[in-house]
Amino acid sequence: MQLRRGCSGVWIALAAAVADRISKALVMQTPVGAPVELLPGVARVRHAANTGVAFSLFSGGGFAIIALTAVLVAGLSAWLLLRPEGQSRMLRVGLWLVVGGGIGNLYARLAYGYVIDFIELTFVRFAVFNVADVAICAGAAVAAVALILDERRKESSHG
């Protein structure tokens, strides 16, 4: 029963990874660096190769980045599958989004040697990113809010 409850969010990770994979496959059909306006003045698609992690930190990290990503994705997945009790649904949803984004970027690193970034905001100076990055950031934000809410519930029930 415990493993079954842990598996209940796997579909979230799979949906995030599939959405990322499909979007990157579409972008791979455009030339690297050639921008395509998506929403004029707001966002455009610009195919970029990122050998680093977020914001191109540790560019050229190669195998170390692949290994670290694989360990983090596997470890978080195992924890979610085997230790679901005591964790709120909101926390699990957020963490499964992080896993899905991690899987999406890990796949790209293994298949191409780099992550395919393509969403570029034009109204602000910001890094080019992808659907997996959105899943990771949104998941981390959801998990953080869940932890704060869970802590407040515990404090109010004890005080």
Side-chain angles (χ1 to χ4, degrees):
M1 184 66 164
Q2 182 174 326
L3 181 60
R4 188 177 195 182
R5 181 167 183 235
C7 289
S8 65
V10 170
W11 67 269
I12 295 167
L14 291 175
V18 167
D20 180 67
R21 182 69 200 112
I22 290 169
S23 65
K24 287 175 181 169
L26 292 171
V27 168
M28 295 279 300
Q29 297 174 16
T30 65
V32 173
V36 176
E37 288 298 316
L38 194 59
L39 294 169
V42 178
R44 64 183 169 198
V45 172
R46 182 171 62 87
H47 183 173
N50 179 1
T51 60
V53 293
F55 310 111
S56 295
L57 293 172
F58 311 115
S59 287
F63 181 75
I65 292 174
I66 291 170
L68 181 60
T69 303
V71 167
L72 291 173
V73 166
L76 186 53
S77 297
W79 185 78
L80 284 163
L81 290 168
L82 301 173
R83 305 281 309 189
E85 74 283 343
Q87 308 305 324
S88 71
R89 176 173 281 154
M90 186 176 179
L91 176 62
R92 291 191 317 269
V93 165
L95 294 177
W96 278 120
L97 278 170
V98 171
V99 168
I103 290 169
N105 280 340
L106 181 60
Y107 176 87
R109 284 185 202 289
L110 291 169
Y112 311 113
Y114 58 89
V115 169
I116 300 141
D117 288 334
F118 59 91
I119 302 169
E120 183 175 36
L121 302 177
T122 56
F123 68 93
V124 65
R125 188 170 167 87
F126 194 71
V128 181
F129 56 97
N130 60 48
V131 172
D133 297 337
V134 172
I136 291 167
C137 292
V142 168
V145 169
L147 289 171
I148 291 167
L149 292 175
D150 291 348
E151 191 60 34
R152 286 189 178 169
R153 279 188 210 110
K154 287 177 189 173
E155 286 176 5
S156 67
S157 68
H158 289 104

